[in-house]
Amino acid sequence: MSYIFNRELSNVSMIIREIEYLDRKLMIMRVPKRVSPAVSAISVSAANAPQYGKDVVSYRLSNASSRYAACVLYRGVENIAPPYYFGNAFYAVYTGKINGQPSAFWLGSDQVSAATPQGPGSNYALAPLNLGSKNDLACFVFGVPPQSAIEILEGGIPDAAQINVMTAYEVTLGSPGSFCVQYNQQAVKQYILQTGYSVTPPPDPFPENTVPVTPIQKGIPDNEIYTGQYVKAGGCT
């Protein structure tokens, strides 16, 4: 099958600095005692990337297979954040604009044929991660063409050596549909307070047309980073 992500292209978006702005008072510290190794066509490595700015880490997602593959990134940083899915903390912020710039988009099609993101400065895709419950987790999803690699960036990590959990879980794409997205309003307020950025968050909850993704293996972590942040199939009532 060939795949194509629907997306609005932008030139260069701001680097996501998610971990840097986490509020420990709001964070959920419940994490799996053991993180299962990924059964995946995609491998991940990380390195410091000072060429992109202070405290920026570059993740390299490599696909050695002969088919297109997509994944979500589960990582944690020693003394800063427990492991959780990249994008899960502030997806409500990313849905809108930060200082007038779009920073992410919701996955709009189950067809993908190009690298997602197209480059390290491009916007990332959000999607509901289906882990078998009635509530899905929202996070970034990345697509890697066969026999190739893509680079993604995350700011706010002083040293890549501090990343103590880093796993790319491969996912399959479902059918486009209507979803209701809810989020922790206090987390958004804390993000704005800590960053000083101009952010216009969406209503809580808000409707979104997007594509769910499902891990190819069972038993992967199901923890969120803030309470009350879920995506449900169907409209908002």
mmCIF file of all heavy atoms in Angstrom, residues 34-43 67 69-72 167-172 214-221:
data_model
loop_
_atom_site.group_PDB
_atom_site.id
_atom_site.type_symbol
_atom_site.label_atom_id
_atom_site.label_comp_id
_atom_site.label_asym_id
_atom_site.label_seq_id
_atom_site.Cartn_x
_atom_site.Cartn_y
_atom_site.Cartn_z
ATOM 1 N N ARG A 34 8.398 -1.566 33.361
ATOM 2 C CA ARG A 34 9.284 -2.060 32.312
ATOM 3 C C ARG A 34 8.729 -1.634 30.962
ATOM 4 O O ARG A 34 7.541 -1.793 30.689
ATOM 5 C CB ARG A 34 9.385 -3.591 32.368
ATOM 6 C CG ARG A 34 10.277 -4.212 31.294
ATOM 7 C CD ARG A 34 10.391 -5.721 31.500
ATOM 8 N NE ARG A 34 11.180 -6.340 30.459
ATOM 9 C CZ ARG A 34 10.686 -6.756 29.300
ATOM 10 N NH1 ARG A 34 9.399 -6.615 29.051
ATOM 11 N NH2 ARG A 34 11.464 -7.323 28.396
ATOM 12 N N VAL A 35 9.570 -1.062 30.140
ATOM 13 C CA VAL A 35 9.151 -0.643 28.806
ATOM 14 C C VAL A 35 9.520 -1.742 27.817
ATOM 15 O O VAL A 35 10.689 -2.125 27.705
ATOM 16 C CB VAL A 35 9.827 0.684 28.407
ATOM 17 C CG1 VAL A 35 9.453 1.059 26.985
ATOM 18 C CG2 VAL A 35 9.422 1.792 29.369
ATOM 19 N N SER A 36 8.534 -2.265 27.113
ATOM 20 C CA SER A 36 8.773 -3.352 26.186
ATOM 21 C C SER A 36 9.641 -2.896 25.023
ATOM 22 O O SER A 36 9.445 -1.791 24.500
ATOM 23 C CB SER A 36 7.446 -3.885 25.640
ATOM 24 O OG SER A 36 6.611 -4.331 26.676
ATOM 25 N N PRO A 37 10.600 -3.728 24.604
ATOM 26 C CA PRO A 37 11.359 -3.396 23.386
ATOM 27 C C PRO A 37 10.413 -3.300 22.199
ATOM 28 O O PRO A 37 9.391 -3.988 22.147
ATOM 29 C CB PRO A 37 12.325 -4.579 23.248
ATOM 30 C CG PRO A 37 12.376 -5.212 24.603
ATOM 31 C CD PRO A 37 11.027 -4.988 25.210
ATOM 32 N N ALA A 38 10.740 -2.441 21.268
ATOM 33 C CA ALA A 38 9.866 -2.252 20.118
ATOM 34 C C ALA A 38 10.017 -3.395 19.126
ATOM 35 O O ALA A 38 11.124 -3.830 18.824
ATOM 36 C CB ALA A 38 10.182 -0.927 19.435
ATOM 37 N N VAL A 39 8.879 -3.887 18.636
ATOM 38 C CA VAL A 39 8.860 -4.785 17.489
ATOM 39 C C VAL A 39 8.534 -3.888 16.309
ATOM 40 O O VAL A 39 7.376 -3.588 16.026
ATOM 41 C CB VAL A 39 7.796 -5.885 17.663
ATOM 42 C CG1 VAL A 39 7.766 -6.791 16.446
ATOM 43 C CG2 VAL A 39 8.060 -6.673 18.937
ATOM 44 N N SER A 40 9.551 -3.405 15.629
ATOM 45 C CA SER A 40 9.346 -2.301 14.711
ATOM 46 C C SER A 40 10.349 -2.322 13.577
ATOM 47 O O SER A 40 11.484 -2.782 13.734
ATOM 48 C CB SER A 40 9.477 -0.971 15.470
ATOM 49 O OG SER A 40 9.371 0.136 14.611
ATOM 50 N N ALA A 41 9.917 -1.804 12.431
ATOM 51 C CA ALA A 41 10.845 -1.602 11.320
ATOM 52 C C ALA A 41 11.690 -0.358 11.530
ATOM 53 O O ALA A 41 12.673 -0.146 10.816
ATOM 54 C CB ALA A 41 10.058 -1.469 10.014
ATOM 55 N N ILE A 42 11.317 0.452 12.523
ATOM 56 C CA ILE A 42 11.985 1.727 12.755
ATOM 57 C C ILE A 42 12.851 1.667 14.004
ATOM 58 O O ILE A 42 12.385 1.269 15.071
ATOM 59 C CB ILE A 42 10.958 2.864 12.885
ATOM 60 C CG1 ILE A 42 10.143 3.002 11.599
ATOM 61 C CG2 ILE A 42 11.636 4.187 13.220
ATOM 62 C CD1 ILE A 42 9.031 4.028 11.676
ATOM 63 N N SER A 43 14.097 2.061 13.878
ATOM 64 C CA SER A 43 14.990 2.211 15.028
ATOM 65 C C SER A 43 15.220 3.693 15.275
ATOM 66 O O SER A 43 15.067 4.520 14.378
ATOM 67 C CB SER A 43 16.324 1.504 14.772
ATOM 68 O OG SER A 43 16.983 2.062 13.650
ATOM 69 N N ARG A 67 9.350 -1.291 3.098
ATOM 70 C CA ARG A 67 8.001 -0.729 3.099
ATOM 71 C C ARG A 67 7.986 0.556 3.908
ATOM 72 O O ARG A 67 8.858 0.795 4.738
ATOM 73 C CB ARG A 67 7.003 -1.724 3.704
ATOM 74 C CG ARG A 67 7.356 -2.130 5.132
ATOM 75 C CD ARG A 67 6.378 -3.119 5.728
ATOM 76 N NE ARG A 67 6.799 -3.586 7.035
ATOM 77 C CZ ARG A 67 6.635 -2.921 8.170
ATOM 78 N NH1 ARG A 67 6.034 -1.739 8.155
ATOM 79 N NH2 ARG A 67 7.043 -3.418 9.319
ATOM 80 N N ALA A 69 6.857 2.926 6.880
ATOM 81 C CA ALA A 69 6.513 2.638 8.268
ATOM 82 C C ALA A 69 6.279 3.941 9.020
ATOM 83 O O ALA A 69 6.889 4.974 8.716
ATOM 84 C CB ALA A 69 7.619 1.832 8.955
ATOM 85 N N ALA A 70 5.376 3.893 9.982
ATOM 86 C CA ALA A 70 5.081 5.043 10.824
ATOM 87 C C ALA A 70 5.260 4.640 12.286
ATOM 88 O O ALA A 70 5.137 3.460 12.647
ATOM 89 C CB ALA A 70 3.657 5.540 10.581
ATOM 90 N N CYS A 71 5.539 5.625 13.148
ATOM 91 C CA CYS A 71 5.789 5.305 14.549
ATOM 92 C C CYS A 71 5.426 6.476 15.444
ATOM 93 O O CYS A 71 5.258 7.615 14.988
ATOM 94 C CB CYS A 71 7.252 4.913 14.768
ATOM 95 S SG CYS A 71 8.411 6.298 14.621
ATOM 96 N N VAL A 72 5.312 6.182 16.734
ATOM 97 C CA VAL A 72 5.237 7.196 17.779
ATOM 98 C C VAL A 72 6.501 7.067 18.614
ATOM 99 O O VAL A 72 7.100 5.992 18.687
ATOM 100 C CB VAL A 72 3.979 7.019 18.654
ATOM 101 C CG1 VAL A 72 2.722 7.292 17.842
ATOM 102 C CG2 VAL A 72 3.917 5.616 19.265
ATOM 103 N N THR A 167 12.125 4.791 22.679
ATOM 104 C CA THR A 167 11.610 3.690 21.877
ATOM 105 C C THR A 167 10.671 4.217 20.805
ATOM 106 O O THR A 167 9.794 5.035 21.098
ATOM 107 C CB THR A 167 10.851 2.669 22.755
ATOM 108 O OG1 THR A 167 11.677 2.254 23.843
ATOM 109 C CG2 THR A 167 10.450 1.454 21.942
ATOM 110 N N ALA A 168 10.854 3.767 19.578
ATOM 111 C CA ALA A 168 9.942 4.099 18.484
ATOM 112 C C ALA A 168 9.006 2.918 18.278
ATOM 113 O O ALA A 168 9.429 1.852 17.819
ATOM 114 C CB ALA A 168 10.730 4.388 17.204
ATOM 115 N N TYR A 169 7.748 3.080 18.653
ATOM 116 C CA TYR A 169 6.762 2.013 18.482
ATOM 117 C C TYR A 169 6.067 2.180 17.131
ATOM 118 O O TYR A 169 5.449 3.223 16.861
ATOM 119 C CB TYR A 169 5.729 2.047 19.608
ATOM 120 C CG TYR A 169 6.280 1.609 20.943
ATOM 121 C CD1 TYR A 169 6.480 2.514 21.970
ATOM 122 C CD2 TYR A 169 6.613 0.269 21.175
ATOM 123 C CE1 TYR A 169 6.983 2.111 23.194
ATOM 124 C CE2 TYR A 169 7.125 -0.143 22.400
ATOM 125 C CZ TYR A 169 7.302 0.785 23.401
ATOM 126 O OH TYR A 169 7.821 0.384 24.621
ATOM 127 N N GLU A 170 6.168 1.165 16.307
ATOM 128 C CA GLU A 170 5.544 1.226 14.988
ATOM 129 C C GLU A 170 4.027 1.181 15.116
ATOM 130 O O GLU A 170 3.472 0.459 15.961
ATOM 131 C CB GLU A 170 6.034 0.076 14.107
ATOM 132 C CG GLU A 170 5.562 0.181 12.668
ATOM 133 C CD GLU A 170 6.134 -0.905 11.774
ATOM 134 O OE1 GLU A 170 7.127 -1.559 12.163
ATOM 135 O OE2 GLU A 170 5.580 -1.101 10.671
ATOM 136 N N VAL A 171 3.336 1.934 14.265
ATOM 137 C CA VAL A 171 1.877 1.994 14.281
ATOM 138 C C VAL A 171 1.327 1.814 12.863
ATOM 139 O O VAL A 171 2.020 2.063 11.880
ATOM 140 C CB VAL A 171 1.374 3.338 14.861
ATOM 141 C CG1 VAL A 171 1.754 3.484 16.318
ATOM 142 C CG2 VAL A 171 1.889 4.526 14.044
ATOM 143 N N THR A 172 0.096 1.361 12.794
ATOM 144 C CA THR A 172 -0.637 1.327 11.528
ATOM 145 C C THR A 172 -1.700 2.419 11.558
ATOM 146 O O THR A 172 -2.157 2.827 12.636
ATOM 147 C CB THR A 172 -1.306 -0.032 11.296
ATOM 148 O OG1 THR A 172 -2.203 -0.312 12.393
ATOM 149 C CG2 THR A 172 -0.263 -1.134 11.221
ATOM 150 N N THR A 214 -2.659 2.765 15.487
ATOM 151 C CA THR A 214 -2.674 1.630 16.410
ATOM 152 C C THR A 214 -1.320 0.948 16.405
ATOM 153 O O THR A 214 -0.783 0.656 15.327
ATOM 154 C CB THR A 214 -3.753 0.612 16.000
ATOM 155 O OG1 THR A 214 -5.030 1.267 15.973
ATOM 156 C CG2 THR A 214 -3.815 -0.551 16.977
ATOM 157 N N PRO A 215 -0.729 0.676 17.576
ATOM 158 C CA PRO A 215 0.569 -0.006 17.613
ATOM 159 C C PRO A 215 0.466 -1.417 17.054
ATOM 160 O O PRO A 215 -0.560 -2.085 17.200
ATOM 161 C CB PRO A 215 0.931 -0.010 19.103
ATOM 162 C CG PRO A 215 -0.362 0.181 19.823
ATOM 163 C CD PRO A 215 -1.228 1.002 18.927
ATOM 164 N N ILE A 216 1.527 -1.875 16.417
ATOM 165 C CA ILE A 216 1.509 -3.216 15.837
ATOM 166 C C ILE A 216 1.755 -4.284 16.891
ATOM 167 O O ILE A 216 1.562 -5.471 16.617
ATOM 168 C CB ILE A 216 2.538 -3.354 14.698
ATOM 169 C CG1 ILE A 216 3.974 -3.229 15.236
ATOM 170 C CG2 ILE A 216 2.285 -2.342 13.602
ATOM 171 C CD1 ILE A 216 5.031 -3.614 14.230
ATOM 172 N N GLN A 217 2.193 -3.890 18.104
ATOM 173 C CA GLN A 217 2.438 -4.872 19.147
ATOM 174 C C GLN A 217 1.590 -4.562 20.369
ATOM 175 O O GLN A 217 1.155 -3.439 20.585
ATOM 176 C CB GLN A 217 3.918 -4.883 19.543
ATOM 177 C CG GLN A 217 4.400 -3.611 20.232
ATOM 178 C CD GLN A 217 5.892 -3.612 20.495
ATOM 179 O OE1 GLN A 217 6.673 -3.172 19.657
ATOM 180 N NE2 GLN A 217 6.289 -4.102 21.658
ATOM 181 N N LYS A 218 1.342 -5.584 21.172
ATOM 182 C CA LYS A 218 0.553 -5.443 22.394
ATOM 183 C C LYS A 218 1.457 -5.030 23.551
ATOM 184 O O LYS A 218 2.663 -5.246 23.537
ATOM 185 C CB LYS A 218 -0.133 -6.762 22.730
ATOM 186 C CG LYS A 218 -1.056 -7.296 21.644
ATOM 187 C CD LYS A 218 -2.281 -6.411 21.475
ATOM 188 C CE LYS A 218 -3.251 -7.022 20.475
ATOM 189 N NZ LYS A 218 -4.443 -6.169 20.267
ATOM 190 N N GLY A 219 0.829 -4.461 24.563
ATOM 191 C CA GLY A 219 1.519 -4.220 25.823
ATOM 192 C C GLY A 219 2.464 -3.041 25.848
ATOM 193 O O GLY A 219 3.333 -2.969 26.719
ATOM 194 N N ILE A 220 2.309 -2.090 24.916
ATOM 195 C CA ILE A 220 3.190 -0.930 24.968
ATOM 196 C C ILE A 220 2.661 0.032 26.037
ATOM 197 O O ILE A 220 1.511 -0.070 26.468
ATOM 198 C CB ILE A 220 3.329 -0.251 23.598
ATOM 199 C CG1 ILE A 220 2.081 0.570 23.243
ATOM 200 C CG2 ILE A 220 3.619 -1.275 22.514
ATOM 201 C CD1 ILE A 220 2.276 1.457 22.041
ATOM 202 N N PRO A 221 3.464 0.961 26.519
ATOM 203 C CA PRO A 221 3.024 1.854 27.599
ATOM 204 C C PRO A 221 1.746 2.609 27.241
ATOM 205 O O PRO A 221 1.518 2.967 26.088
ATOM 206 C CB PRO A 221 4.205 2.818 27.756
ATOM 207 C CG PRO A 221 5.381 2.065 27.247
ATOM 208 C CD PRO A 221 4.867 1.214 26.123
#
